Amino acid sequence: MSIFKDKQYLRVNVDKAPDDSLWMKCKACGELVFKRRVRENSNICPSCGEYFFLTVEERIEMLVDADSFDNISKSIEADDPLHFVDRTSYQDRIEKAQGLTGLPDAIVVGRATITQSPVVLAVMDFRFIGGSMGSVMGEQICHGMETAIEDRCPFILVSSSGGARLQEGLFSLLQMAKTAAVRAKLAEAGLPFISIMTYPTSGGVQASIASLGDIIIAERGAMIGFAGRRVIQFTIAQELPADYQTDAFAFEHGAIDRVVQRANMREELSSLLGFFVEVA
Amino acid sequence: MSDERTLDLLETKIEELKQLNAMDGIDLSGEITKLEKKLVELRRKLYSNLSDWERVKIARNPKRPYALDYIKLMFDGFYEIHGDRMIGDDRALLTGLAQLDGRTVMLVAQQKGRTTEENKERYFGMTRPQGYRKAVRAMKLAERFSFPVVTLIDTPGAYPGVESEASNIGGAIAESLLAMSQLRTPIVSVVIGEGGSGGALAIGLADRVLMLENAVYSVITPEGAAAILWKEKDRSQEAAAALQLTAEHLLQLGLIDGVIPEPLGGAHKDFAMTVAALKPSVVGLLDELRSLGIDELLDARFRRYRAVGSFRELGTSHEASSSDEKVSSENEADAAIISNDSPDA
Ligand SMILES: [Zn+2]
């Protein structure tokens, strides 16, 4: 744990990837693509348009004014209240994920500006146990909203999560209630909450805080929904349409406000925030 | 022969003897007393040491009292209200006014079915978006007249089908949580059977949360956890234990406020006795909550949920207790999809 002892766990570590090869194979189209071109293209396959995951650092870099991000995450980590062990222990999963991501848990919160407008921004990292929401994520989201209330500025949450963190049992489930309760305070304070859903926004995160945005924006290519395909087939054996839980499906059925290309997201936020300048 | 089977036979035998006793004027009471004693002993042996998995099975037992049974036995004059005013009326979640101990309450209760026909109507107790939206409508109605809300939780989970997604089931659950966190009237929730994940919590954000002794409340079913984390369905027993989903565990973890004792063998053995244990607790809690000022109540509710969670200062006390377990990169990949495909996790 020594590497997390100071609060400098968030490094914008573009070059941290262990694989230094110049080329990568796109999982979607199978093409060998030049890594630098992928990066320059907002981490989207230049050949087929497939969106690749963004790390927290990449996502933040892509959304906010250069060098404006100030990490204000609480200095906390999971403490395994159930002493959960399945095929491996939760403790081990946490350590592995911390080693992999350089993050204490699956979310980072900070102050930043977007075209000079101050915001509080919270970003999830799917690489950290599927971006799952346990006690730490719940606390960090609430901390983010409370900071936005203190600062009287908008709160932006970028979700990338499979849902609740199973290894914390009911503690995880109750984070849905916790984040909803604090979200109500943000509304009482009259401050806007912009929820950005990326691939994937599902389960307990989609069924709580992510769906409570004043404005909900999906990144193109997002997967949005409550119960995954496997669950449906397992529980009620229903045939699923091809567009099931896609951004288009959510939009078509009125669950979200807008769908935005990744490369346009900063501009999108910038113009949206412009409407709320007088509020904050 | 299993102990359960012996128990059933013994019960039948006693019943027969009692009938004979009544009919023929033959005195069999000595025999009956003897058998009844044996029955109690056997029950005690069988039920005093239930595993978590056994409690899951009791919680799902279709003979168990369902919402409508409580409505009949514990409340007076249930006046059901229907429909979400948008899509339709979910028969897996009932709402309505009723009297509890002479005072009006709003009931929000999940209802399973026992027969195939009933289960078709009730979607096996799985609530759909129109159910949660009806619940919010009912709760807001209650708020306008300062009627306290009592919710009875009993669901395997929210209904996960395509029609549910098309009506934004996740959004409906989220809106219910938001509404309950702000509702200006007391809320008491009771998990009477299965507390299935977000589908249960959606009507469970309350000032006080009770569980029946054999009820379970979990982020995911043991079967789901076994499939996702253990990759083996038959590890459900282990998963049930690991999830700490029983009333006793959750009370110890400080996540619920009280456990209502059930008759030996489970609530289905004696509905009246179960209701007799539950009713005074709910009445007492409502009295207590009504005595608080509304702002005080809302403040306490907020603090309760704001505080829920378990974490530690970064880098503090770290026992490498389990670091000798092998973790493969495959495990990491499994972990990464934990709940993307888990039953409404
Ligand atoms: Zn491609």
Side-chain angles (χ1 to χ4, degrees), chain A residues 26 28-30 45 47-50:
Chain A
C26 171
C29 66
C45 174
S47 166
C48 73
E50 174 78 5

Side-chain angles (χ1 to χ4, degrees), chain B residues 80-94:
Chain B
E80 190 175 358
I81 60 171
H82 295 269
D84 70 344
R85 301 288 190 266
M86 284 182 266
I87 301 178
D89 185 43
D90 189 346
R91 306 299 302 137
L93 187 145
L94 312 177

Side-chain angles (χ1 to χ4, degrees), chain B residues 183-255:
Chain B
L183 201 75
R184 296 179 69 79
T185 192
I187 310 171
V188 171
S189 291
V190 187
V191 186
I192 57 172
E194 252 185 302
S197 196
L201 177 66
I203 59 163
L205 193 162
D207 298 302
R208 296 289 185 273
V209 180
L210 302 176
M211 283 178 75
L212 292 199
E213 186 184 346
N214 293 309
V216 294
Y217 195 3
S218 182
V219 67
I220 187 171
T221 60
E223 292 90 337
I228 290 164
L229 297 176
W230 276 264
K231 303 281 169 198
E232 290 168 55
K233 242 197 109 182
D234 58 8
R235 303 294 283 276
S236 302
Q237 303 201 17
E238 226 174 309
L243 287 164
Q244 302 203 22
L245 41 59
T246 65
E248 199 188 328
H249 283 310
L250 296 173
L251 185 70
Q252 270 168 17
L253 291 169
L255 297 176

